[in-house]
C-alpha cells in the first residue's frame, strides 16, 4: 500500500510551485559574518560561506541600484546618490560596522532593507 502512494505523492510534490527561500535577515547576516571573522586567520578567498555572503552583498548592491532607478523613474527623489557603477566599492571594513550598529530591533528585517539604509547613509544626496 505504501509503495502505491509513494509515486503519486512524489509527483504531487513535483507539481507544487517552487517557493523562494526566505530573505536573509540582518541578524542572520551579522551572525554569519561574525562566524567568519572568528576564523579570519584560516579563511580562504574560496571559502563557500565567504563567497555566499559576498554574493548577498553584491546582490543587495545591485538591488539598491534598481531601487534608486525605480524611484527616479516614478518621479520620486532618489533616497541615495552613490557614485556611478564601477566608481564605488563596498569595503567591508566600512559597511559591516554600520550594519552591526543598527538598532537591535532591526535585526529581524531583511538584510537587503538594512543594506539599503546603510547605503543611503553612506551615499547621501547633497
Amino acid at each position: 500500500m505504501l509503495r502505491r502512494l509513494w509515486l503519486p505523492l512524489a509527483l504531487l510534490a513535483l507539481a507544487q510551485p517552487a517557493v523562494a527561500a526566505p530573505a536573509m535577515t540582518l541578524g542572520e547576516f551579522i551572525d554569519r559574518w561574525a562566524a567568519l571573522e572568528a576564523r579570519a586567520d584560516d579563511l580562504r578567498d574560496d571559502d563557500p560561506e565567504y563567497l555566499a555572503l559576498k554574493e548577498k552583498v553584491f546582490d543587495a548592491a545591485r538591488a539598491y541600484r534598481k531601487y534608486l532607478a525605480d524611484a527616479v523613474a516614478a518621479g520620486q527623489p532618489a533616497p541615495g546618490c552613490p557614485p556611478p557603477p564601477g566608481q564605488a566599492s563596498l569595503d567591508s571594513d566600512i559597511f559591516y560596522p554600520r550594519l552591526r550598529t543598527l538598532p537591535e530591533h532591526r535585526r529581524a528585517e531583511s538584510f537587503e532593507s538594512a543594506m539599503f539604509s546603510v547605503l543611503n547613509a553612506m551615499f547621501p544626496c547633497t
Side-chain angles (χ1 to χ4, degrees), residues 25-39:
T25 66
L26 171 61
E28 291 167 337
F29 182 87
I30 289 173
D31 291 345
R32 289 172 66 180
W33 192 269
L36 284 179
E37 285 184 322
R39 57 186 187 91

Side-chain angles (χ1 to χ4, degrees), residues 57-80:
V57 171
F58 288 145
D59 287 348
R62 284 188 288 271
Y64 180 68
R65 293 268 185 197
K66 181 177 179 338
Y67 163 70
L68 295 177
D70 290 350
V72 170
Q76 301 167 350

